[in-house]
Amino acid sequence: MKRSTMEPAPHPRRGKILPFVPDGESWVARHVRDLPRSGIRDFFDLVQTMEGIVSLGIGEPGECTPWNIREQAIFALELGKTGYTSNIGLPRLRRAISRYMERLTGVRYDPEEEILVTVGVSEALDCALRAIVNPGEQILFAEPSYVAYSPGVVLAHGVPVGVPTRFEDTFRLRAEELAEKARPGVKALLLNSPANPTGTMVKEEELEKIAGICRRENWVVLSDEIYAELTYEKPHRSIASLPGMKERTIVFNGLSKAFAMTGFRLGWACGPAPLIAAMVKIHQYSMLCAPILSQEAGVEALEHGAAEVEAMRRIYQKKRNYLWRSLTALGFPCHSPEGAFYLFPSIAPFGLSSKEFALRLLREALVAVVPGTAFGPSGEGHLRCSFSPRMEELEEAVGRLSRWMRKSFPKKSDPAARS
């Protein structure tokens, strides 16, 4: 019988060769294989298997994108604007970003050479890291930190170095502790103010000291300012506005948070022309350009969205005050955040790890929060609670939490017992 050409040829002495079974995992690059999954996504994979959950976990506005912005996206679609744009973004949008950033930060950026429109701030940060990091170079950032910072550095073949911050310092990055990390091989500081997950803002006098260290050490600064519009006691100050800092700083911002446009995936980077040009090389070979409908909506948001942003900011401030008062009344040591839309309460009085507390709260009270360890080792002993959901959701979550606390920690959650 004629042997099928699809069968492996028999070995002359050992008989039939077994078919080759590929081991897909062995093909994965080591630095990707060893990268941990996001602690937030791991936790919310579990949430998705449950019903009736009230979530304070995802960092997404509870408000819908303002109608005039949505309408502009619809109108652009009706006009048939469905093609590519310039790699760096629509000229009208880049001009609008330039004007907007000058109003927000006091720094003017050339829309032709110093602005790149990206698919959210996440892509902007990825392009920046890949553009500046040589293998083995170190990137500093305050910890607890946004979950993507450390993995993003690793994916760029750099070395992430967290600078721990503490509850007793309201999680502020201190210049003296940053200076202790100065050594050969450090390339950049990744700064986030207002910060996710703590809501902390770097004080202006501390910002000036940090800028001095960056100038002295010749560091690049990657300044994530996605929450710059959402501050509650004092306005945001960009490190790029300080003397000698625009020339070494890439500022990231976008429409996801303040404009409630997470699904539009539109961000931008502003910085020195040589660094933006390097980022464009990466962007054009990976993303090509941001979606045109999002860019059309972005022009409307930046030119006519200020009133809606201010209205949402005031709503967030009311929700912040409500959730902060509620948590402190239940016995959680907690700072009132200065910006963003997160609280980062301590669970030290309750004798559980962050993960244990969050899992019990989820399973027993059907309330989802994020364990602090998702944001680095310095987050242990804390939870991230977002106050971005609608007020009725916050009230339901607080009611469930209060009942669960009285049952699970009666002596800790009773104000009379604590006094």
Side-chain angles (χ1 to χ4, degrees), residues 173-345:
L173 177 63
R174 301 290 186 184
E176 58 190 37
E177 295 177 353
L178 181 64
E180 293 175 0
K181 299 292 185 178
R183 60 176 68 92
V186 174
K187 184 64 168 284
L189 168 66
L190 208 176
L191 189 65
N192 181 210
S193 178
N196 175 8
T198 62
T200 296
M201 295 172 64
V202 180
K203 287 185 176 180
E204 190 160 338
E205 57 269 27
E206 204 71 24
L207 198 65
E208 292 174 352
K209 295 177 184 177
I210 291 170
I213 295 170
C214 294
R215 289 191 297 266
R216 185 187 71 216
E217 300 295 331
N218 196 29
W219 292 343
V220 178
V221 177
L222 307 178
S223 187
D224 182 350
E225 302 181 12
I226 188 63
Y227 297 101
E229 298 88 339
L230 301 180
T231 65
Y232 306 113
E233 273 73 48
K234 58 183 179 180
H236 166 74
R237 179 74 184 272
S238 174
I239 194 170
S241 68
L242 299 180
M245 293 307 295
K246 179 189 174 184
E247 298 81 1
R248 64 174 65 252
T249 302
I250 304 175
V251 176
F252 308 105
N253 205 330
L255 302 179
S256 291
K257 309 299 183 178
F259 291 86
M261 294 174 65
T262 50
F264 284 80
R265 307 309 304 130
L266 194 70
W268 57 80
C270 301
L275 296 184
I276 294 297
M279 292 171 61
V280 171
K281 292 180 183 180
I282 300 163
H283 172 75
Q284 67 186 2
Y285 291 129
S286 56
M287 292 297 179
L288 186 65
C289 65
I292 187 171
L293 297 180
S294 297
Q295 293 192 54
E296 292 283 348
V299 175
E300 174 68 19
L302 295 177
E303 292 185 344
H304 303 108
E308 287 81 1
V309 169
E310 175 58 18
M312 286 189 283
R313 189 195 67 81
R314 292 182 179 182
I315 292 171
Y316 288 135
Q317 188 166 12
K318 291 179 181 178
K319 292 191 290 189
R320 176 202 67 165
N321 295 344
Y322 168 75
L323 189 58
W324 178 76
R325 287 195 299 265
S326 299
L327 292 178
T328 53
L330 288 171
F332 292 88
C334 185
H335 300 297
S336 179
E338 300 163 292
F341 39 58
Y342 310 105
L343 279 82
F344 204 59

Side-chain angles (χ1 to χ4, degrees), residues 55 103 106 125 132 148 302 335 355 382 417:
S55 177
R103 293 194 302 270
L125 177 59
I132 71 168
L302 295 177
H335 300 297
K355 187 173 182 179
H382 297 269

